[in-house]
Amino acid sequence: MSMEIEPPLHVRYYALMKEESESKNGRWVGEEEEREVVEECEEEEELPVIDLGLLKMGNSEREKCISEMVEAARNWGFFQVLNHGVPERVLKGMMYEQKKVFNQPFAKKSLSNVLNLAGTYRWGNPVAMSPSQISWSEAFHMAVLEVSNLEEHVTLRPTMEAVVKKFGRLAESIAEILGQSLGIKACYFKERCEKGRSSFRLNRYPPCPFASQVYGLIPHTDSDYLTILYQAQVSGLQLMKDGKWFAVKPNPKALLVNIGDLFQVVSNDAFRSLKHRVVASEAVERFSFAYFYSPSDDVMIESCTKPSIYRQFSYREYRQQIEKDVEKTGNKVGLPRFFLHNMLPHLGQ
């Protein structure tokens, strides 16, 4: 791989290593003394697999599909879906297009108006305060409503528009089904997200020589209702369940769905937004792309059942609080900031 395409992750890593060691004992710690930060993980797990084709069959098949989905959302917060309505050629086409975008020189990718979209390209973690807060990855992150502004790339825009449209419909459909299991009306999510802040992200994880000391993507939860992810065949995604990290076994025919923070609030903790991460790899390059199903800034987020574990807040307030915490500490705090003090939530994530 040509070095001119790579973001300067090495430079950032060494600068943070130097800062950290100097702040501790006034001397540079050599590589042989570096500690491992990536905790051990359990065996690879096959997440629950839901066949969405059953939704179009008879009542008993449809009910079976819905109950499996609800159970997966309650027990795992993550599940895979088959027969999801996104043709394989569309997914492979998007993977091909994103590789072309990432294979551009770093100097071009990092221009402020790359792809005719402001602030789209990201790499590493600009607010990292230690090596363990670096994300050894690069991404193009854009608002779904801006995808039509893409230019330069003749085939990128129609490919991405097709994926975004299908992922958006899928997210809406799954959110509606899960919501109705909680007694939420069918149009609840559509009304809040139709002109909302849903976004689309292309991810690349370059090979990393310090794979035991940094993450591909630092542990986090998603700040949306639902995320739809396509990750092809290269493993690396891990999620935390019952205090342990589990590696997610890739299924190239499936899309991965996970519950976000906002849905955890709406469900009053019936569904859980699990912490997840991507581990870095010394030898293998990894790609994925994700759709984040999110509301408008002024939408109020509140639990659908009482007594509520969380106080009511707007999506704008939630995002602003996350930004403050990340700037101050390098880490997201998220939902614990919004607990009602008179409730004792179970924090077993």
Side-chain angles (χ1 to χ4, degrees), residues 109-234:
K109 287 186 286 194
S110 54
L111 292 173
S112 61
N113 64 339
V114 64
L115 304 180
N116 194 38
L117 301 172
T120 302
Y121 179 67
R122 305 171 181 187
W123 63 274
N125 177 4
V127 294
M129 297 178 182
S130 69
S132 62
Q133 290 179 339
I134 289 181
S135 288
W136 201 272
S137 54
E138 57 178 337
F140 287 91
H141 191 105
M142 64 208 76
V144 163
L145 296 174
E146 292 179 358
V147 169
S148 58
N149 296 337
L150 281 167
E151 57 179 42
E152 286 185 52
H153 298 261
V154 179
T155 50
L156 175 64
R157 188 170 80 183
T159 304
M160 194 180 293
E161 282 178 331
V163 171
V164 161
K165 189 175 182 181
K166 288 184 179 297
F167 274 30
R169 281 182 183 160
L170 182 62
E172 184 184 305
S173 169
I174 291 172
E176 185 179 304
I177 288 168
L178 292 175
Q180 285 182 303
S181 77
L182 302 167
I184 294 171
K185 62 181 182 179
C187 58
Y188 180 91
F189 294 100
K190 184 176 183 179
E191 286 175 352
R192 285 157 176 76
C193 297
E194 205 156 35
K195 291 186 170 63
R197 279 188 165 267
S198 293
S199 56
F200 190 62
R201 184 180 179 105
L202 310 176
N203 300 302
R204 174 180 175 258
Y205 302 90
C208 173
F210 322 107
S212 65
Q213 292 132 36
V214 300
Y215 297 102
L217 193 60
I218 60 173
H220 66 286
T221 58
D222 290 350
S223 307
D224 57 3
Y225 285 124
L226 281 179
T227 303
I228 313 280
L229 175 81
Y230 179 67
Q231 61 165 355
Q233 288 148 310
V234 180

Side-chain angles (χ1 to χ4, degrees), residues 84-97 155 158-160 162-163 166-167 230 252-253 289:
H84 40 66
V86 189
E88 189 178 19
R89 61 178 171 75
V90 173
L91 296 170
K92 287 187 171 174
M94 187 69 254
M95 194 63 78
Y96 174 75
E97 291 296 333
T155 50
T159 304
M160 194 180 293
V163 171
K166 288 184 179 297
F167 274 30
Y230 179 67
K253 293 189 182 302
F289 49 87

Side-chain angles (χ1 to χ4, degrees), residues 297-311:
D297 267 350
D298 57 354
V299 164
M300 298 306 292
I301 311 300
E302 59 185 324
S303 303
C304 70
T305 57
K306 302 291 182 269
S308 176
I309 293 169
Y310 305 93
R311 71 171 178 82

Side-chain angles (χ1 to χ4, degrees), residues 12 15-17 19-21 23 35 125-134 324-331:
R12 184 89 176 110
L16 285 169
M17 282 298 297
E19 282 174 27
E20 186 175 72
S21 59
S23 69
R35 73 198 185 291
N125 177 4
V127 294
M129 297 178 182
S130 69
S132 62
Q133 290 179 339
I134 289 181
K324 280 183 201 165
D325 289 332
V326 168
E327 278 175 27
K328 193 173 179 181
T329 67
N331 288 312

